[in-house]
Amino acid sequence: TNPGFVVRITQAGLDYAHQQGITVLEKELAQLRLPDISGDFRIRHVGKVHYEISRLDLRSFHLPHSRISLVPNVGLQVSISNAFAELDGNWRVKLLFIRDHGSFELKAENIYIKINLKLGSDAAGKPTVDTSDCSTRISEVQVHFSGKFGWLYNLFYSAVESRFRKSLESKVCESVARSVHRDLQPYVQTLPVTARIGSMAGIDYSLVAPPAATAQSLDVKLKGEFFSLTHRSPVSFPPPLLALPPAHDRMVYFGASSYFFNTAGFAYQAAGALVFEITDSMIPKDVEFHLNTTTFSAFVPQLEEMYPDMLMKLRLFAPSAPFMNIGPEGVSLRPVVDIQAYAILPDARLAPLFLLSLVSLGTAWLGSSGGALSFPLSAPQVRMLQSIMNVLASSTLLPRLNERLGRGFPLPLPDRIQLYNILLGFHQNFLMLGADVQYQPR
């Protein structure tokens, strides 16, 4: 199925995420624990030499040059070059009657690391990340031994260098895999697949497909569907094709299709949230008329005869979910809003008066406690009534809607991410929001 919501991470966004990740990886590598090294080798005419390298302490591991790149149809690749590590430790050697020991310093230079990250999604629709390949190559190792017998150190120098190189190369990839599993995987899973909005609705942000890498960006396709918390039912219309245009000025882009917003109307209508009541006390003082039968009897004289000088209540409700259209020129919304008018009787009971639609011209109906009584209105009378209802709705209902819309809705963002430098654009069947991001560490 087509997504209702798409998140696009550009190369600039990946570079920013890469900076944060490399900092974590550098700290992880600096905590590597290397095993002791020991061995024997035989010298012609001399005999067997036994050496031990112990208490290896990695003082630092620096990653000065690295880059992240997109691998289409695969995922991401992190390449690290010219890295270097420094460590020290103790050595001990035994040759016939010769015993010696001391300390040493070792520096590994021109370390190259290549990490492939495989991106996917789990059964709950959350993103997943894992290392699909890792390789490490150390070009140069320098060891400086402290001690009296320089010629003796040279005998096992190559053996120590070779074994240390192999040990460090394997430990680096083990550390990378551990860091991805322990740090990166839990973090990407903080991307919410369900966002609750108040007590009535939520948003389904589950992935409908694994993240897709192209040559320019990483696209994450989400369901993007509002649903009622009280009764979730299938949406009766399909999402349109959502193809984001090429844009790379921001770190991240969000594409929300008309399907995304129209399911909001569907969910709120199903939850019974699109019902509003207006009374005379809610009308602003600068509005020149009051919500009573005297005002409305100007074009429906029977109201004053049947319910003289009584306050009224209006009940606005949507008989069907409102439908939104998005185009390059902006957003248009033509909801069908029915207005049921009541007279408030002296004993606080409500007497139905008429029902009016704000969208199309129609017939207004009068009602009485003794039964239904229809009274057709002329087109000018209906238009006048609609004008009055529009004034009432705009002065009472729109402030409430604007207050709710002003609170917005949560975007699918992992923990501790904030947006800035925001740009909004309209396209056919979807709107696109571009932004730069900032990570807020704990």
Side-chain angles (χ1 to χ4, degrees), residues 34-54:
L34 299 177
D36 295 347
I37 298 173
S38 62
D40 299 307
F41 61 93
R42 186 171 297 277
I43 302 176
R44 182 180 298 180
H45 308 306
V46 175
K48 183 174 68 173
V49 178
H50 178 76
Y51 66 89
E52 296 177 358
I53 304 294
S54 60

Side-chain angles (χ1 to χ4, degrees), residues 393-409:
S394 62
S395 62
T396 57
L397 178 60
L398 288 181
R400 293 173 60 187
L401 290 176
N402 285 332
E403 190 275 332
R404 176 61 190 89
L405 293 173
R407 297 200 299 266
F409 57 87

Side-chain angles (χ1 to χ4, degrees), residues 19-188:
Q19 294 173 10
Q20 309 300 318
I22 283 296
T23 301
V24 174
L25 181 60
E26 194 170 56
K27 292 179 180 178
E28 179 76 19
L29 291 175
Q31 298 175 5
L32 279 178
R33 292 294 177 263
L34 299 177
D36 295 347
I37 298 173
S38 62
D40 299 307
F41 61 93
R42 186 171 297 277
I43 302 176
R44 182 180 298 180
H45 308 306
V46 175
K48 183 174 68 173
V49 178
H50 178 76
Y51 66 89
E52 296 177 358
I53 304 294
S54 60
R55 297 184 180 178
L56 297 173
D57 180 26
L58 187 62
R59 298 199 310 269
S60 62
F61 206 122
H62 298 284
L63 310 175
H65 304 290
S66 61
R67 61 188 294 267
I68 189 169
S69 55
L70 291 149
V71 183
N73 303 319
V74 176
L76 303 173
Q77 184 177 94
V78 179
S79 302
I80 300 170
S81 60
N82 298 325
F84 61 93
E86 298 174 319
L87 62 84
D88 51 35
N90 297 329
W91 62 269
R92 184 178 299 275
V93 69
K94 179 173 68 174
L95 171 62
L96 299 176
F97 56 88
I98 299 176
R99 304 285 191 276
D100 199 4
H101 64 86
S103 61
F104 73 93
E105 296 179 351
L106 184 147
K107 186 174 184 179
E109 297 180 307
N110 296 327
I111 303 175
Y112 297 88
I113 308 170
K114 185 176 71 174
I115 308 160
N116 288 339
L117 298 176
K118 181 181 178 181
L119 307 175
S121 59
D122 61 17
K126 284 182 172 288
T128 60
V129 59
D130 197 6
T131 51
S132 60
D133 184 50
C134 177
S135 60
T136 304
R137 179 171 57 87
I138 302 175
S139 296
E140 185 177 352
V141 176
Q142 298 178 3
V143 186
H144 174 70
F145 292 96
S146 62
K148 301 177 181 178
F149 305 102
W151 63 272
L152 187 59
Y153 316 142
N154 293 330
L155 295 178
F156 61 90
Y157 181 96
S158 59
V160 172
E161 178 190 9
S162 175
R163 294 193 60 178
F164 171 80
R165 188 194 305 267
K166 292 179 180 178
S167 176
L168 184 59
E169 287 176 347
S170 66
K171 287 294 181 180
V172 165
C173 282
E174 289 179 14
S175 180
V176 168
R178 183 169 56 250
S179 182
V180 169
H181 179 74
R182 188 185 64 192
D183 300 318
L184 185 56
Q185 166 71 2
Y187 180 72
V188 299

